[in-house]
Structure formats: C-alpha cells, structure tokens
Amino acid sequence: MPVLTYKYRLFPNSTQAVALTDMLGSFCDLYNACLQQRIEAYRRQGRTLSYIDQASELKAVRLIDERLASYSYSAEQQVVRRLDKAFRAFFGRVRTGKGGFPRFRAKSMFDSADFRVGDGLTIRKSRKFGIVGIPGEIKVRWHRDLPAGAAAAVLSRSCGKWHICFFVETPDAHGPDPVRAAGGIDVGLTSLIATSDGDAVPTPQWVRMASTKQRRLQRALGRCRRGSKGRLKAKMRLARHSARTANQRRDFAHKLSRTLVNLYSHIAFEDLNITGLASGMLAKSVLNAAWGQLISFTDYKAANAGGLVAKVDPRGTSQECDCCGMVTPKYRPGESPIRELNNRIQDCPGCGTVEDRDVHAAKVIKHRAFPWLKGPGAGPGASSQPVAA
Ligand SMILES: [Zn+2]
C-alpha cells in the first residue's frame, strides 16, 4: 500500500520548546547508550545484541531512570529500533566493503523522534497535540485535513522550527485507466521541463539563486576558524539556506506535478537513474534534485488519479527524429561544439522537420513510452493499446 506523508508545522510555546528539546536530548542519550552497550557486548562476549535484547531491557531501565520514564515508552522503543536499523544497514554495507560503523550522535544533530499516534502522541479534542512528557497542549497549523488512519508520526526539528509528519496508508490504486491524454516530458537546463505539446516551464529563479548563494555561504563557512562563534553562525546560515531551498523545491514540485497530472493521464519521463547524477556543476545538481522530486511526486499523484508514469531510456532522445526515426550525430562535420550548445532547434536532414529541440525530445520520450500512440490520427480515442503490464 502506498504511504502518503502529511506534514504540519507545530507552534510550541517557549516552555514546550525547551521540553521538546530536552526530550530529544534524552532520546539521543538513549541512542548513544544502546550503541555503547552493543559495542561492549561484542567486545567482551563476542555477542551481537538484537533489537529484542535491547528493547526488553528498556522497561527495567525506565524503572530507575526518571527522565526516560517521563516520556513515551513506544517512542523510546522506536529509538532502539532506529539504532537497530543503523546496524542492519551497516551489516548490509559490510558485504559490499563500504561499511561505516554506526556513530555516536550529537544532541544538536538528533532532530527527530518517532511516535505511535494515540499512544505517545495524541490529537486532543481541541485539535492540539498532547505529547507524553511535554506540558500542556501544543498548537498546530492544520493547513490541510489529515485523513483518518494515521498510525505513525515523526516529530522533527529543523532550523528552530518544529514539524510533525503523519504517515497515512492509502488503498492501492486500481491500476491505470485507459489513456485520456498522454504526454512526454523532457527535462533540461534551459527550460526546467518541456512537454511534447510544446509547453516549456522556465527554470525557476531559485535554482540559480540557490547555487550561487550556497557557494558564497560555503566559502564564508570555510573561512571561519574551527570552534569559533562565527563558524557556528555561518553554519546556521548555510543550514537555513538549504532548508529554504528544499522548501521552495518541494513546493514547486508539488504544484508542477499537480498541473501535469491534471493535463495528462499517462506521462513519460526520462529515467534519470540511467543518465547518472550530474556532478560538478552546482546548478545542475540543484536541478537534478528538482527533477527527481518532480518525477516521484508526479508518479504517486498520477497513480492516485488512475494514471501512469513511465520512465524511458534517455539515451539519444535529443538526436533522434520523432517523425522519421533518423538519428543525427551530436556534432555534424564542421560544426563547432559551441554552436551545438546554442542550437536549440531540431533540424532533421532526413525529413526536414524543424522544431524546438526540447519539445522534440519530449515527443521522442512520449513515443518511446507509448509507441502505440504514434502515427497520424493516433489520438486518445484511436487506441489499440496493449494491456498495461
Ligand atoms: Zn526526420
């Protein structure tokens, strides 16, 4: 069953904020203590402790540790489980030879806690939250309705702001409906995306802003003396900037994916995993994250709406002609690579088609994913489409 996340901002008063910070601190101590215990059990007895071993001890520990006893038992179990996950991931990595041993965590970096809804965390009649061990009720901004059936929630702290995420299981989509409208999407550097119908979405301002400002803040951080106050401030500035960019990106991806899903039932993207992550150019790495998020948001929104997102092999999408299938090499003889970069027009020597290159690539992508839609008169109605696998 697909799981949807619903995130809300919390507004604890100053007493509650201190209490929440204390709680995360206690959970961090618990995490580190469990890690210590695992290390010692292995050193002294060659034993590898499991989640069950440590969780069954938790009850006894709570009897003597007042601080732990004042917080939610199930939330503390989740802390133990989190360490167990870290170990499982570590053992998994050992096999590939890239093992990093789970580390002790700093309180300043221990930013979240997992809860069972209705156990350690309850939604009160007042529509505020009650969290075991935190005084009073915590205000929350319900910017959208939370569907019934949320069993798990994560409380998190980021740049001094508190949020809560609920995880809601949604029934399986019934599989894609017949094609209502299909579209191909090409992602690029000049336009963020281009559709097979000729629409282009310009690259948002924040992409460039994000990378230039990030570079500046990173440089400033690099100049600060280690352990100095200025370094801490520079670090906060960089963290706030990253968080802000991530928010802008998510907001943008949600809105654009919604537009695409309203426009098309069947949507084809390039499979970015095949392209490989761009490295080096910072703006490109910002864009890469944006595309990845856009595709995954479109994917689940389309599935919920009875549509489908297909990913195709991206190789050569910009060299192939959609009309006659002719493949034009990247550089024609005698053409300089600089001209190639500025050459935004697909100009096919085979059939003479002239079109914007990105839009044309989007058409190629569309027809790679839905080949039965190709050819004259192949509209949504004229389908002899195969049954979707
Ligand atoms: Zn052609």
Short mmCIF file of all heavy atoms in Angstrom, two decimals, residues 281-318:
data_model
loop_
_atom_site.label_atom_id
_atom_site.label_comp_id
_atom_site.label_asym_id
_atom_site.label_seq_id
_atom_site.Cartn_x
_atom_site.Cartn_y
_atom_site.Cartn_z
N MET A 281 28.89 20.70 -11.76
CA MET A 281 28.13 21.93 -11.83
C MET A 281 27.06 21.97 -10.75
O MET A 281 26.18 21.12 -10.68
CB MET A 281 27.50 21.99 -13.21
CG MET A 281 27.17 23.35 -13.69
SD MET A 281 26.68 23.14 -15.40
CE MET A 281 25.36 24.31 -15.45
N LEU A 282 27.13 23.01 -9.93
CA LEU A 282 26.24 23.07 -8.78
C LEU A 282 24.79 23.28 -9.19
O LEU A 282 23.88 22.66 -8.66
CB LEU A 282 26.71 24.18 -7.84
CG LEU A 282 26.36 24.03 -6.37
CD1 LEU A 282 26.66 22.63 -5.89
CD2 LEU A 282 27.13 25.03 -5.56
N ALA A 283 24.62 24.18 -10.18
CA ALA A 283 23.25 24.45 -10.63
C ALA A 283 22.60 23.17 -11.12
O ALA A 283 21.42 22.93 -10.93
CB ALA A 283 23.25 25.49 -11.73
N LYS A 284 23.41 22.32 -11.75
CA LYS A 284 22.87 21.09 -12.30
C LYS A 284 22.49 20.11 -11.19
O LYS A 284 21.52 19.37 -11.32
CB LYS A 284 23.89 20.45 -13.24
CG LYS A 284 23.21 19.58 -14.26
CD LYS A 284 24.14 19.21 -15.39
CE LYS A 284 23.38 18.27 -16.32
NZ LYS A 284 24.25 17.72 -17.33
N SER A 285 23.25 20.15 -10.11
CA SER A 285 22.90 19.23 -9.03
C SER A 285 21.64 19.69 -8.32
O SER A 285 20.84 18.89 -7.87
CB SER A 285 24.06 19.09 -8.04
OG SER A 285 24.28 20.29 -7.37
N VAL A 286 21.46 21.02 -8.26
CA VAL A 286 20.20 21.53 -7.70
C VAL A 286 19.03 21.09 -8.59
O VAL A 286 18.00 20.64 -8.11
CB VAL A 286 20.23 23.07 -7.60
CG1 VAL A 286 18.89 23.61 -7.18
CG2 VAL A 286 21.29 23.51 -6.62
N LEU A 287 19.25 21.21 -9.91
CA LEU A 287 18.20 20.82 -10.85
C LEU A 287 17.91 19.34 -10.77
O LEU A 287 16.77 18.91 -10.84
CB LEU A 287 18.64 21.16 -12.27
CG LEU A 287 18.33 22.58 -12.70
CD1 LEU A 287 18.99 22.87 -14.02
CD2 LEU A 287 16.83 22.76 -12.82
N ASN A 288 18.97 18.55 -10.62
CA ASN A 288 18.79 17.11 -10.55
C ASN A 288 17.86 16.71 -9.43
O ASN A 288 16.98 15.87 -9.59
CB ASN A 288 20.16 16.45 -10.32
CG ASN A 288 20.48 15.52 -11.45
OD1 ASN A 288 19.61 14.75 -11.86
ND2 ASN A 288 21.67 15.59 -11.96
N ALA A 289 18.07 17.36 -8.28
CA ALA A 289 17.19 17.08 -7.15
C ALA A 289 15.77 17.50 -7.48
O ALA A 289 14.80 16.82 -7.13
CB ALA A 289 17.70 17.83 -5.92
N ALA A 290 15.63 18.62 -8.18
CA ALA A 290 14.31 19.13 -8.52
C ALA A 290 13.59 18.16 -9.48
O ALA A 290 12.42 17.85 -9.30
CB ALA A 290 14.41 20.51 -9.15
N TRP A 291 14.32 17.67 -10.48
CA TRP A 291 13.70 16.72 -11.42
C TRP A 291 13.29 15.45 -10.72
O TRP A 291 12.20 14.92 -10.94
CB TRP A 291 14.69 16.35 -12.54
CG TRP A 291 15.06 17.48 -13.43
CD1 TRP A 291 14.25 18.49 -13.85
CD2 TRP A 291 16.34 17.72 -14.01
NE1 TRP A 291 14.95 19.34 -14.66
CE2 TRP A 291 16.24 18.88 -14.78
CE3 TRP A 291 17.57 17.04 -13.98
CZ2 TRP A 291 17.31 19.41 -15.50
CZ3 TRP A 291 18.63 17.56 -14.70
CH2 TRP A 291 18.50 18.74 -15.45
N GLY A 292 14.18 14.93 -9.89
CA GLY A 292 13.90 13.68 -9.20
C GLY A 292 12.63 13.79 -8.37
O GLY A 292 11.76 12.92 -8.40
N GLN A 293 12.51 14.92 -7.67
CA GLN A 293 11.34 15.12 -6.83
C GLN A 293 10.08 15.29 -7.68
O GLN A 293 9.04 14.72 -7.37
CB GLN A 293 11.56 16.36 -5.97
CG GLN A 293 10.72 16.37 -4.73
CD GLN A 293 11.19 17.41 -3.76
OE1 GLN A 293 11.58 18.52 -4.15
NE2 GLN A 293 11.19 17.08 -2.50
N LEU A 294 10.23 16.03 -8.78
CA LEU A 294 9.09 16.24 -9.67
C LEU A 294 8.57 14.90 -10.18
O LEU A 294 7.37 14.64 -10.19
CB LEU A 294 9.52 17.13 -10.84
CG LEU A 294 8.44 17.31 -11.91
CD1 LEU A 294 7.31 18.16 -11.38
CD2 LEU A 294 9.01 17.92 -13.18
N ILE A 295 9.49 14.03 -10.60
CA ILE A 295 9.07 12.74 -11.15
C ILE A 295 8.41 11.88 -10.09
O ILE A 295 7.37 11.27 -10.32
CB ILE A 295 10.28 12.02 -11.79
CG1 ILE A 295 10.76 12.81 -13.02
CG2 ILE A 295 9.91 10.60 -12.20
CD1 ILE A 295 12.03 12.30 -13.65
N SER A 296 8.97 11.87 -8.88
CA SER A 296 8.37 10.99 -7.87
C SER A 296 7.01 11.53 -7.42
O SER A 296 6.09 10.76 -7.17
CB SER A 296 9.33 10.77 -6.71
OG SER A 296 9.31 11.86 -5.84
N PHE A 297 6.86 12.85 -7.33
CA PHE A 297 5.55 13.42 -6.97
C PHE A 297 4.53 13.14 -8.07
O PHE A 297 3.37 12.84 -7.80
CB PHE A 297 5.66 14.94 -6.74
CG PHE A 297 6.34 15.31 -5.45
CD1 PHE A 297 6.55 16.65 -5.13
CD2 PHE A 297 6.76 14.35 -4.56
CE1 PHE A 297 7.18 17.00 -3.94
CE2 PHE A 297 7.39 14.69 -3.37
CZ PHE A 297 7.60 16.02 -3.07
N THR A 298 4.97 13.30 -9.33
CA THR A 298 4.05 13.06 -10.44
C THR A 298 3.61 11.60 -10.43
O THR A 298 2.45 11.28 -10.68
CB THR A 298 4.73 13.37 -11.78
OG1 THR A 298 5.32 14.66 -11.71
CG2 THR A 298 3.73 13.36 -12.91
N ASP A 299 4.56 10.73 -10.10
CA ASP A 299 4.30 9.29 -10.09
C ASP A 299 3.15 8.94 -9.14
O ASP A 299 2.17 8.32 -9.53
CB ASP A 299 5.59 8.56 -9.68
CG ASP A 299 5.55 7.09 -10.05
OD1 ASP A 299 4.46 6.61 -10.43
OD2 ASP A 299 6.59 6.43 -9.96
N TYR A 300 3.25 9.40 -7.90
CA TYR A 300 2.20 8.97 -6.97
C TYR A 300 0.89 9.71 -7.20
O TYR A 300 -0.19 9.15 -7.03
CB TYR A 300 2.69 9.08 -5.51
CG TYR A 300 2.51 10.42 -4.83
CD1 TYR A 300 1.27 10.78 -4.30
CD2 TYR A 300 3.56 11.30 -4.70
CE1 TYR A 300 1.09 12.00 -3.67
CE2 TYR A 300 3.40 12.53 -4.07
CZ TYR A 300 2.16 12.87 -3.56
OH TYR A 300 1.98 14.08 -2.96
N LYS A 301 0.98 10.96 -7.66
CA LYS A 301 -0.26 11.70 -7.95
C LYS A 301 -0.99 11.06 -9.12
O LYS A 301 -2.21 10.93 -9.12
CB LYS A 301 0.05 13.16 -8.24
CG LYS A 301 0.40 13.97 -7.01
CD LYS A 301 0.38 15.46 -7.32
CE LYS A 301 0.60 16.28 -6.06
NZ LYS A 301 1.99 16.62 -5.83
N ALA A 302 -0.22 10.64 -10.14
CA ALA A 302 -0.82 10.00 -11.31
C ALA A 302 -1.46 8.68 -10.92
O ALA A 302 -2.58 8.37 -11.32
CB ALA A 302 0.23 9.79 -12.40
N ALA A 303 -0.75 7.90 -10.09
CA ALA A 303 -1.29 6.60 -9.68
C ALA A 303 -2.60 6.77 -8.92
O ALA A 303 -3.55 6.01 -9.11
CB ALA A 303 -0.27 5.86 -8.81
N ASN A 304 -2.68 7.82 -8.08
CA ASN A 304 -3.91 8.08 -7.34
C ASN A 304 -5.05 8.49 -8.25
O ASN A 304 -6.21 8.28 -7.92
CB ASN A 304 -3.67 9.20 -6.32
CG ASN A 304 -3.17 8.64 -5.01
OD1 ASN A 304 -3.35 7.46 -4.73
ND2 ASN A 304 -2.53 9.47 -4.22
N ALA A 305 -4.70 9.09 -9.39
CA ALA A 305 -5.74 9.58 -10.28
C ALA A 305 -6.05 8.56 -11.38
O ALA A 305 -6.70 8.89 -12.36
CB ALA A 305 -5.30 10.91 -10.89
N GLY A 306 -5.54 7.34 -11.23
CA GLY A 306 -5.80 6.32 -12.25
C GLY A 306 -4.95 6.51 -13.49
O GLY A 306 -5.30 6.06 -14.57
N GLY A 307 -3.84 7.19 -13.35
CA GLY A 307 -2.93 7.38 -14.48
C GLY A 307 -1.68 6.57 -14.32
O GLY A 307 -1.62 5.63 -13.53
N LEU A 308 -0.64 6.97 -15.05
CA LEU A 308 0.57 6.17 -15.07
C LEU A 308 1.76 7.06 -15.42
O LEU A 308 1.66 7.94 -16.27
CB LEU A 308 0.41 5.08 -16.13
CG LEU A 308 1.59 4.17 -16.41
CD1 LEU A 308 1.69 3.11 -15.33
CD2 LEU A 308 1.43 3.53 -17.77
N VAL A 309 2.87 6.82 -14.74
CA VAL A 309 4.12 7.47 -15.12
C VAL A 309 5.07 6.41 -15.64
O VAL A 309 5.31 5.40 -14.96
CB VAL A 309 4.76 8.23 -13.94
CG1 VAL A 309 6.22 8.56 -14.23
CG2 VAL A 309 4.01 9.53 -13.68
N ALA A 310 5.57 6.61 -16.85
CA ALA A 310 6.52 5.65 -17.42
C ALA A 310 7.87 6.32 -17.53
O ALA A 310 7.96 7.52 -17.75
CB ALA A 310 6.04 5.21 -18.80
N LYS A 311 8.92 5.54 -17.32
CA LYS A 311 10.27 6.08 -17.47
C LYS A 311 10.97 5.35 -18.61
O LYS A 311 10.95 4.13 -18.66
CB LYS A 311 11.06 5.91 -16.17
CG LYS A 311 10.54 6.82 -15.07
CD LYS A 311 11.16 6.49 -13.75
CE LYS A 311 10.25 7.01 -12.63
NZ LYS A 311 10.53 6.35 -11.37
N VAL A 312 11.56 6.13 -19.49
CA VAL A 312 12.19 5.52 -20.66
C VAL A 312 13.69 5.75 -20.64
O VAL A 312 14.20 6.65 -19.97
CB VAL A 312 11.60 6.08 -21.98
CG1 VAL A 312 10.11 5.88 -22.03
CG2 VAL A 312 11.94 7.55 -22.14
N ASP A 313 14.38 4.93 -21.40
CA ASP A 313 15.82 5.07 -21.57
C ASP A 313 16.10 6.42 -22.22
O ASP A 313 15.59 6.71 -23.30
CB ASP A 313 16.32 3.93 -22.46
CG ASP A 313 17.84 3.87 -22.50
OD1 ASP A 313 18.48 4.92 -22.28
OD2 ASP A 313 18.38 2.78 -22.77
N PRO A 314 16.87 7.29 -21.57
CA PRO A 314 17.06 8.65 -22.08
C PRO A 314 18.11 8.75 -23.18
O PRO A 314 18.30 9.82 -23.73
CB PRO A 314 17.53 9.41 -20.84
CG PRO A 314 18.25 8.38 -20.04
CD PRO A 314 17.58 7.06 -20.31
N ARG A 315 18.78 7.65 -23.48
CA ARG A 315 19.91 7.79 -24.40
C ARG A 315 19.46 8.19 -25.79
O ARG A 315 18.58 7.58 -26.38
CB ARG A 315 20.71 6.48 -24.45
CG ARG A 315 21.71 6.41 -23.29
CD ARG A 315 22.34 5.07 -23.19
NE ARG A 315 21.37 4.09 -22.70
CZ ARG A 315 21.74 2.99 -22.03
NH1 ARG A 315 23.01 2.73 -21.81
NH2 ARG A 315 20.82 2.14 -21.62
N GLY A 316 20.06 9.25 -26.27
CA GLY A 316 19.84 9.69 -27.64
C GLY A 316 18.50 10.33 -27.91
O GLY A 316 18.12 10.51 -29.05
N THR A 317 17.75 10.73 -26.86
CA THR A 317 16.44 11.32 -27.11
C THR A 317 16.56 12.64 -27.87
O THR A 317 15.63 13.04 -28.55
CB THR A 317 15.68 11.58 -25.80
OG1 THR A 317 16.57 12.15 -24.85
CG2 THR A 317 15.09 10.30 -25.26
N SER A 318 17.70 13.32 -27.73
CA SER A 318 17.81 14.61 -28.40
C SER A 318 18.44 14.49 -29.79
O SER A 318 18.56 15.47 -30.50
CB SER A 318 18.62 15.58 -27.53
OG SER A 318 19.87 15.03 -27.25
#
